[in-house]
Amino acid sequence: MQPPPRKSNYTKFLKNLHTEQIAKLHAKNQHECDLLEDLRTYTIKRSAIEKSYSEALLKISSAYLNKKIPNIPDIKVDGAEEKWNMWNVWRTVLEENEKLARARLAAVEVFQQQIADEAKFLRQHKLNVAKKCTDTLAQAHKELQTTVLDVDKTKKLYFDEEHTAHDVRDKAKDIEEKLKKKKGSFFQSITSLQKNSAKVSSRRDQLEEKSTGARNDYLLSIAAANAHQNRYFLVELQNCMLSMEAAVYEKVSEFLTFMGRTELLTCSATQHSFGKIRDQAQQLTREYNLQCLYLYYPVLKQHIQYEFEPCDNDPIDTVTIEHESVAQTLGQEARRWATRVLRETSLVRDATRKMHVYQAMRDAGQKVRV
């Protein structure tokens, strides 16, 4: 606690202090109201973004869910590792995104009710009670200043009385010392000194009594002022601050805690959903999907093979070259296919070489023109 300057007027210093306190209380209240307004508008703007995103996500998820997705069942085997085909994983993606979109929309509504509306109400309440609280505090200031004004008055009286008593005290002391030495002046006898000493001593006693009374009044006024200051600082000022705050710190803590908790719940739901999608997607294999497809479309599993059907009990069931024309025809066919294989192999080799060249050019940052 900082004491007022000793040589200045206590009342004047206190009035300036009280004026500054009122101004700073209003500034403090305005800072708190500004924070509440920022919190409210931030929540509204963020909720609008979340709502727009969630509605769009819900719309596209519902649209794709409403499309006819092949209902290809998974193969469930007791004791075996659970697997999913890609159509069911895709359905999981859409369903989980739809759930997340609905959860985010619900969170938006809660944000609006629990934060934006509450912050608006609290801010308005703080603005309404601020003037009432400072008016009440100003009345307490007047009462305290009246008490401190009494300190200034008693202090002045004490200093006046003490100065006068001090002067007479010094004069009486000087006379007493002269009497002890039994030494008068050329124009003043010992008898005259004794009479003057009695007169000054009487005057000194009267002034000492007045000085003591003034000092006591001054000390009592200080005690009263300090007691009043203690009550003002510990009770009236604190009550004013509490009323103006309107539990703003607890409310802001509640708002931000709620915001963090809701976001964590949303993130947890998102993590759970996409963890589920990831786990199912990691089980995707071509072999398993083909097994599911074969059950759904059995015709795809039909492997047709033809067998030679002899005519009139023909015993020969292999290719023969007993006749010259047949051998010549087979030779021509073999050469034709061999030539084609060589040509296709050459084309593949040339295309592979060009692909490597183009890839090297791209890696070097050059433009590739085909």
Side-chain angles (χ1 to χ4, degrees):
M1 181 176 63
Q2 182 180 1
R6 289 184 177 276
K7 294 184 179 181
S8 67
N9 185 287
Y10 289 164
T11 306
K12 182 179 179 180
F13 175 84
L14 190 62
K15 286 181 178 179
N16 293 335
L17 176 65
H18 286 167
T19 301
E20 188 175 359
Q21 283 182 345
I22 292 289
K24 292 300 184 281
L25 283 173
H26 280 297
K28 172 179 175 291
N29 190 65
Q30 189 60 47
H31 293 331
E32 294 164 355
C33 290
D34 290 344
L35 176 60
L36 289 172
E37 180 64 13
D38 289 345
L39 189 58
R40 185 185 74 86
T41 55
Y42 168 82
T43 302
I44 290 175
K45 291 178 180 179
R46 178 178 173 176
S47 296
I49 296 171
E50 289 281 356
K51 185 176 182 180
S52 176
Y53 167 73
S54 301
E55 287 177 344
L57 182 61
L58 182 62
K59 183 177 180 180
I60 62 172
S61 298
S62 300
Y64 281 98
L65 276 172
N66 290 332
K67 289 182 67 175
K68 189 175 181 180
I69 302 175
N71 191 22
I72 300 175
D74 284 308
I75 302 172
K76 304 299 180 183
V77 180
D78 293 339
E81 185 179 12
E82 194 171 10
K83 294 182 179 181
W84 293 267
N85 63 59
M86 64 181 183
W87 290 276
N88 286 337
V89 176
W90 172 237
R91 186 179 287 104
T92 300
V93 170
L94 298 176
E95 290 173 349
E96 292 299 322
N97 275 279
E98 187 179 46
K99 286 196 296 186
L100 290 175
R102 295 187 187 280
R104 286 184 176 276
L105 285 173
V108 166
E109 293 298 324
V110 175
F111 273 138
Q112 183 70 30
Q113 296 172 3
Q114 298 292 331
I115 297 181
D117 294 345
E118 286 286 335
K120 180 180 179 181
F121 172 79
L122 180 59
R123 177 179 178 274
Q124 190 59 48
H125 174 71
K126 283 173 61 60
L127 291 174
N128 292 338
V129 302
K131 189 175 186 308
K132 295 179 182 178
C133 292
T134 52
D135 287 347
T136 302
L137 191 66
Q139 183 61 37
H141 286 168
K142 291 180 181 179
E143 296 173 359
L144 180 56
Q145 289 165 14
T146 300
T147 302
V148 174
L149 181 62
D150 191 46
V151 174
D152 284 331
K153 291 179 180 179
T154 55
K155 177 183 177 182
K156 183 178 183 304
L157 181 61
Y158 159 67
F159 270 73
D160 291 342
E161 296 292 345
E162 181 61 23
H163 281 314
T164 304
H166 183 271
D167 293 340
V168 174
R169 196 181 299 123
D170 288 344
K171 187 175 181 180
K173 184 178 179 181
D174 183 57
I175 294 174
E176 288 174 356
E177 288 179 353
K178 288 181 179 180
L179 285 174
K180 287 180 181 179
K181 296 178 181 179
K182 295 182 179 181
K183 182 180 179 181
S185 64
F186 180 78
F187 300 100
Q188 192 175 28
S189 64
I190 296 298
T191 303
S192 177
L193 278 175
Q194 289 175 342
K195 289 181 180 181
N196 194 20
S197 175
K199 183 178 179 180
V200 171
S201 295
S202 176
R203 174 68 175 165
R204 180 193 61 190
D205 292 341
Q206 292 176 358
L207 292 177
E208 287 281 5
E209 184 178 352
K210 286 185 178 181
S211 176
T212 300
R215 185 191 305 109
N216 289 340
D217 290 343
Y218 177 39
L219 290 172
L220 289 174
S221 65
I222 287 177
N226 286 336
H228 202 157
Q229 285 279 21
N230 288 337
R231 174 172 176 78
Y232 164 75
F233 182 79
L234 298 175
V235 178
E236 293 166 338
L237 179 60
Q238 302 305 319
N239 287 342
C240 177
M241 292 175 65
L242 283 173
S243 298
M244 291 180 69
E245 287 167 7
V248 66
Y249 301 110
E250 292 79 2
K251 280 293 184 182
V252 170
S253 173
E254 181 183 326
F255 294 156
L256 297 180
T257 301
F258 178 79
M259 184 183 295
R261 184 172 63 248
T262 303
E263 190 64 26
L264 285 174
L265 289 173
T266 304
C267 291
S268 178
T270 303
Q271 183 180 20
H272 178 268
S273 294
F274 282 94
K276 180 179 179 181
I277 293 169
R278 178 203 59 198
D279 294 341
Q280 291 186 9
Q282 287 177 344
Q283 300 297 325
L284 281 177
T285 61
R286 181 177 183 274
E287 292 76 12
Y288 176 74
N289 277 266
L290 286 178
Q291 291 176 17
C292 296
L293 281 168
Y294 290 153
L295 288 176
Y296 195 66
Y297 298 121
V299 68
L300 295 178
K301 202 174 182 181
Q302 293 183 9
H303 185 189
I304 300 176
Q305 293 288 297
Y306 300 100
E307 295 183 357
F308 177 70
E309 298 180 9
C311 178
D312 295 333
N313 297 321
D314 184 3
I316 301 174
D317 57 0
T318 59
V319 177
T320 61
I321 54 174
E322 295 176 353
H323 305 284
E324 183 178 351
S325 60
V326 173
Q328 186 178 1
T329 301
L330 288 175
Q332 290 176 352
E333 191 69 16
R335 284 191 297 273
R336 185 173 70 85
W337 282 106
T339 302
R340 184 172 180 179
V341 168
L342 288 174
R343 185 172 64 252
E344 295 292 339
T345 302
S346 177
L347 290 174
V348 169
R349 188 183 301 112
D350 186 56
T352 303
R353 182 184 60 79
K354 288 182 179 180
M355 185 177 67
H356 289 161
V357 172
Y358 292 152
Q359 186 63 43
M361 292 174 64
R362 176 177 291 180
D363 293 342
Q366 300 179 18
K367 291 185 177 180
V368 179
R369 294 181 180 179
V370 181

PDB file of all heavy atoms in Angstrom, residues 244-256:
ATOM      1  N   MET A 244     -19.236  -5.250 -10.651  1.00  0.00           N
ATOM      2  CA  MET A 244     -18.985  -4.874 -12.043  1.00  0.00           C
ATOM      3  C   MET A 244     -18.484  -6.058 -12.865  1.00  0.00           C
ATOM      4  O   MET A 244     -18.788  -6.171 -14.054  1.00  0.00           O
ATOM      5  CB  MET A 244     -17.962  -3.730 -12.099  1.00  0.00           C
ATOM      6  CG  MET A 244     -18.481  -2.410 -11.563  1.00  0.00           C
ATOM      7  SD  MET A 244     -17.249  -1.085 -11.631  1.00  0.00           S
ATOM      8  CE  MET A 244     -17.116  -0.817 -13.393  1.00  0.00           C
ATOM      9  N   GLU A 245     -17.716  -6.929 -12.230  1.00  0.00           N
ATOM     10  CA  GLU A 245     -17.208  -8.099 -12.960  1.00  0.00           C
ATOM     11  C   GLU A 245     -18.327  -9.066 -13.320  1.00  0.00           C
ATOM     12  O   GLU A 245     -18.317  -9.674 -14.390  1.00  0.00           O
ATOM     13  CB  GLU A 245     -16.149  -8.813 -12.118  1.00  0.00           C
ATOM     14  CG  GLU A 245     -14.827  -8.063 -12.034  1.00  0.00           C
ATOM     15  CD  GLU A 245     -13.918  -8.615 -10.952  1.00  0.00           C
ATOM     16  OE1 GLU A 245     -14.277  -9.658 -10.360  1.00  0.00           O
ATOM     17  OE2 GLU A 245     -12.862  -8.012 -10.693  1.00  0.00           O
ATOM     18  N   ALA A 246     -19.285  -9.228 -12.411  1.00  0.00           N
ATOM     19  CA  ALA A 246     -20.411 -10.148 -12.655  1.00  0.00           C
ATOM     20  C   ALA A 246     -19.907 -11.551 -12.999  1.00  0.00           C
ATOM     21  O   ALA A 246     -20.399 -12.199 -13.921  1.00  0.00           O
ATOM     22  CB  ALA A 246     -21.308  -9.610 -13.764  1.00  0.00           C
ATOM     23  N   ALA A 247     -18.888 -11.994 -12.258  1.00  0.00           N
ATOM     24  CA  ALA A 247     -18.314 -13.346 -12.449  1.00  0.00           C
ATOM     25  C   ALA A 247     -17.801 -13.548 -13.870  1.00  0.00           C
ATOM     26  O   ALA A 247     -17.886 -14.645 -14.426  1.00  0.00           O
ATOM     27  CB  ALA A 247     -19.332 -14.417 -12.087  1.00  0.00           C
ATOM     28  N   VAL A 248     -17.229 -12.486 -14.469  1.00  0.00           N
ATOM     29  CA  VAL A 248     -16.791 -12.582 -15.862  1.00  0.00           C
ATOM     30  C   VAL A 248     -15.642 -13.570 -16.019  1.00  0.00           C
ATOM     31  O   VAL A 248     -15.564 -14.297 -17.025  1.00  0.00           O
ATOM     32  CB  VAL A 248     -16.384 -11.186 -16.392  1.00  0.00           C
ATOM     33  CG1 VAL A 248     -15.160 -10.649 -15.675  1.00  0.00           C
ATOM     34  CG2 VAL A 248     -16.139 -11.235 -17.893  1.00  0.00           C
ATOM     35  N   TYR A 249     -14.746 -13.631 -15.025  1.00  0.00           N
ATOM     36  CA  TYR A 249     -13.606 -14.540 -15.148  1.00  0.00           C
ATOM     37  C   TYR A 249     -14.068 -15.994 -15.124  1.00  0.00           C
ATOM     38  O   TYR A 249     -13.594 -16.825 -15.906  1.00  0.00           O
ATOM     39  CB  TYR A 249     -12.600 -14.275 -14.027  1.00  0.00           C
ATOM     40  CG  TYR A 249     -12.070 -12.866 -14.033  1.00  0.00           C
ATOM     41  CD1 TYR A 249     -12.419 -11.964 -13.030  1.00  0.00           C
ATOM     42  CD2 TYR A 249     -11.242 -12.414 -15.055  1.00  0.00           C
ATOM     43  CE1 TYR A 249     -11.946 -10.662 -13.046  1.00  0.00           C
ATOM     44  CE2 TYR A 249     -10.762 -11.112 -15.078  1.00  0.00           C
ATOM     45  CZ  TYR A 249     -11.124 -10.240 -14.063  1.00  0.00           C
ATOM     46  OH  TYR A 249     -10.661  -8.958 -14.094  1.00  0.00           O
ATOM     47  N   GLU A 250     -14.998 -16.289 -14.232  1.00  0.00           N
ATOM     48  CA  GLU A 250     -15.530 -17.652 -14.176  1.00  0.00           C
ATOM     49  C   GLU A 250     -16.282 -17.994 -15.464  1.00  0.00           C
ATOM     50  O   GLU A 250     -16.180 -19.115 -15.982  1.00  0.00           O
ATOM     51  CB  GLU A 250     -16.460 -17.809 -12.967  1.00  0.00           C
ATOM     52  CG  GLU A 250     -15.770 -17.740 -11.617  1.00  0.00           C
ATOM     53  CD  GLU A 250     -15.454 -16.318 -11.175  1.00  0.00           C
ATOM     54  OE1 GLU A 250     -15.820 -15.369 -11.914  1.00  0.00           O
ATOM     55  OE2 GLU A 250     -14.832 -16.149 -10.103  1.00  0.00           O
ATOM     56  N   LYS A 251     -17.038 -17.009 -15.978  1.00  0.00           N
ATOM     57  CA  LYS A 251     -17.806 -17.254 -17.196  1.00  0.00           C
ATOM     58  C   LYS A 251     -16.895 -17.459 -18.404  1.00  0.00           C
ATOM     59  O   LYS A 251     -17.120 -18.363 -19.220  1.00  0.00           O
ATOM     60  CB  LYS A 251     -18.758 -16.079 -17.458  1.00  0.00           C
ATOM     61  CG  LYS A 251     -20.017 -16.116 -16.623  1.00  0.00           C
ATOM     62  CD  LYS A 251     -20.898 -17.294 -17.017  1.00  0.00           C
ATOM     63  CE  LYS A 251     -22.207 -17.297 -16.260  1.00  0.00           C
ATOM     64  NZ  LYS A 251     -23.041 -18.472 -16.625  1.00  0.00           N
ATOM     65  N   VAL A 252     -15.865 -16.622 -18.523  1.00  0.00           N
ATOM     66  CA  VAL A 252     -14.939 -16.782 -19.652  1.00  0.00           C
ATOM     67  C   VAL A 252     -14.219 -18.123 -19.547  1.00  0.00           C
ATOM     68  O   VAL A 252     -14.026 -18.823 -20.550  1.00  0.00           O
ATOM     69  CB  VAL A 252     -13.928 -15.615 -19.693  1.00  0.00           C
ATOM     70  CG1 VAL A 252     -12.811 -15.899 -20.695  1.00  0.00           C
ATOM     71  CG2 VAL A 252     -14.635 -14.322 -20.072  1.00  0.00           C
ATOM     72  N   SER A 253     -13.840 -18.489 -18.325  1.00  0.00           N
ATOM     73  CA  SER A 253     -13.230 -19.805 -18.125  1.00  0.00           C
ATOM     74  C   SER A 253     -14.185 -20.912 -18.552  1.00  0.00           C
ATOM     75  O   SER A 253     -13.792 -21.879 -19.216  1.00  0.00           O
ATOM     76  CB  SER A 253     -12.845 -19.979 -16.650  1.00  0.00           C
ATOM     77  OG  SER A 253     -12.408 -21.300 -16.396  1.00  0.00           O
ATOM     78  N   GLU A 254     -15.449 -20.747 -18.197  1.00  0.00           N
ATOM     79  CA  GLU A 254     -16.463 -21.738 -18.576  1.00  0.00           C
ATOM     80  C   GLU A 254     -16.638 -21.789 -20.093  1.00  0.00           C
ATOM     81  O   GLU A 254     -16.715 -22.879 -20.681  1.00  0.00           O
ATOM     82  CB  GLU A 254     -17.787 -21.367 -17.905  1.00  0.00           C
ATOM     83  CG  GLU A 254     -18.931 -22.317 -18.198  1.00  0.00           C
ATOM     84  CD  GLU A 254     -20.227 -21.856 -17.554  1.00  0.00           C
ATOM     85  OE1 GLU A 254     -20.157 -21.261 -16.451  1.00  0.00           O
ATOM     86  OE2 GLU A 254     -21.301 -22.066 -18.151  1.00  0.00           O
ATOM     87  N   PHE A 255     -16.677 -20.611 -20.733  1.00  0.00           N
ATOM     88  CA  PHE A 255     -16.843 -20.565 -22.188  1.00  0.00           C
ATOM     89  C   PHE A 255     -15.681 -21.267 -22.896  1.00  0.00           C
ATOM     90  O   PHE A 255     -15.887 -22.103 -23.784  1.00  0.00           O
ATOM     91  CB  PHE A 255     -16.918 -19.113 -22.671  1.00  0.00           C
ATOM     92  CG  PHE A 255     -18.137 -18.369 -22.199  1.00  0.00           C
ATOM     93  CD1 PHE A 255     -18.136 -16.984 -22.114  1.00  0.00           C
ATOM     94  CD2 PHE A 255     -19.287 -19.050 -21.833  1.00  0.00           C
ATOM     95  CE1 PHE A 255     -19.253 -16.289 -21.676  1.00  0.00           C
ATOM     96  CE2 PHE A 255     -20.414 -18.374 -21.392  1.00  0.00           C
ATOM     97  CZ  PHE A 255     -20.390 -16.992 -21.312  1.00  0.00           C
ATOM     98  N   LEU A 256     -14.460 -20.902 -22.510  1.00  0.00           N
ATOM     99  CA  LEU A 256     -13.288 -21.448 -23.193  1.00  0.00           C
ATOM    100  C   LEU A 256     -13.115 -22.935 -22.891  1.00  0.00           C
ATOM    101  O   LEU A 256     -12.693 -23.708 -23.763  1.00  0.00           O
ATOM    102  CB  LEU A 256     -12.036 -20.669 -22.784  1.00  0.00           C
ATOM    103  CG  LEU A 256     -12.043 -19.179 -23.166  1.00  0.00           C
ATOM    104  CD1 LEU A 256     -10.759 -18.505 -22.718  1.00  0.00           C
ATOM    105  CD2 LEU A 256     -12.236 -18.999 -24.660  1.00  0.00           C
TER     106      LEU A 256
END
